[in-house]
Amino acid sequence: MIKSLAIATVWSTDQERDKKFFVETLGFTECMDMHMGDMRWVTVSPPGQPEVQLTLMRPDGPGLDPESQEAVLKLVSKGALSAGVFSTDDCHATYAELKAKGVEFVQEPQERPYGIEALFRDPSGNWYSLTQQRDMEGLDLSKPWSDCVSDEAEPEGPAK
């Protein structure tokens, strides 16, 4: 039986730079940084959530054939892949804090049926939803689902 999600992959074009972004800019905890042969295994955890780790994985490592490596690298560099949703109690305040630290946002905080959401990218190009969620009983269907991403971003439609 599955108990929980333990590790999720975030594609990284530069593990050192991305580790610094997650740890120093976003306030994550470094969990692991080790070499296993030619592969470097780097994991970080969101603040206060050590049971969940993101592995910052290079697309040119084991497990992908050369054609797939190239495709993943192209999609990540282009900013076409979403790597997840981060929860916050105050989207506007977290947006202001991260923007002041130089985080690239592709959408300012906006009202959505499920809460308030902003979208940002990591240095490799992966994009994330920063969401202040509404109680699901408080879903506000009068708020727009469309236009959840600015014209400059690659993804279209809701980030959920």
Side-chain angles (χ1 to χ4, degrees):
M1 173 192 319
I2 296 174
K3 289 180 15 180
S4 65
L5 175 66
I7 300 174
T9 299
V10 171
W11 296 112
S12 172
T13 58
D14 181 328
Q15 289 173 306
E16 191 61 35
R17 178 202 60 209
D18 291 345
K19 180 177 79 167
K20 184 177 179 181
F21 172 78
F22 278 95
V23 172
E24 295 180 14
T25 305
L26 299 185
F28 283 38
T29 301
E30 178 183 333
C31 300
M32 184 82 58
D33 189 345
M34 61 185 250
H35 290 272
M36 297 186 291
D38 292 337
M39 187 180 110
R40 182 177 176 196
W41 182 257
V42 179
T43 64
V44 295
S45 287
Q49 201 175 15
E51 69 280 3
V52 175
Q53 296 180 37
L54 302 179
T55 180
L56 307 178
M57 183 68 66
R58 291 190 45 85
D60 60 355
L64 294 176
D65 61 77
E67 183 180 342
S68 297
Q69 290 173 1
E70 185 178 327
V72 169
L73 182 59
K74 191 174 196 177
L75 288 170
V76 169
S77 298
K78 181 178 174 178
L81 297 179
S82 172
V85 177
F86 293 121
S87 179
T88 181
D89 290 331
D90 186 338
C91 189
H92 290 282
T94 305
Y95 165 82
E97 173 191 341
L98 295 178
K99 188 154 179 80
K101 291 180 175 183
V103 173
E104 176 193 356
F105 278 85
V106 296
Q107 177 195 284
E108 295 180 358
Q110 306 228 345
E111 290 281 339
R112 298 289 174 229
Y114 43 83
I116 302 169
E117 175 185 59
L119 299 177
F120 70 93
R121 292 191 200 281
D122 67 22
S124 285
N126 300 293
W127 63 275
Y128 303 82
S129 169
L130 175 65
T131 302
Q132 178 183 333
Q133 293 184 326
R134 257 188 246 304
D135 180 326
M136 290 314 281
E137 292 178 16
L139 197 64
D140 185 352
L141 297 178
S142 70
K143 303 295 182 198
W145 288 95
S146 61
D147 301 325
C148 288
V149 183
S150 73
D151 291 340
E152 298 168 5
E154 293 297 324
E156 303 225 346
K160 291 253 175 203

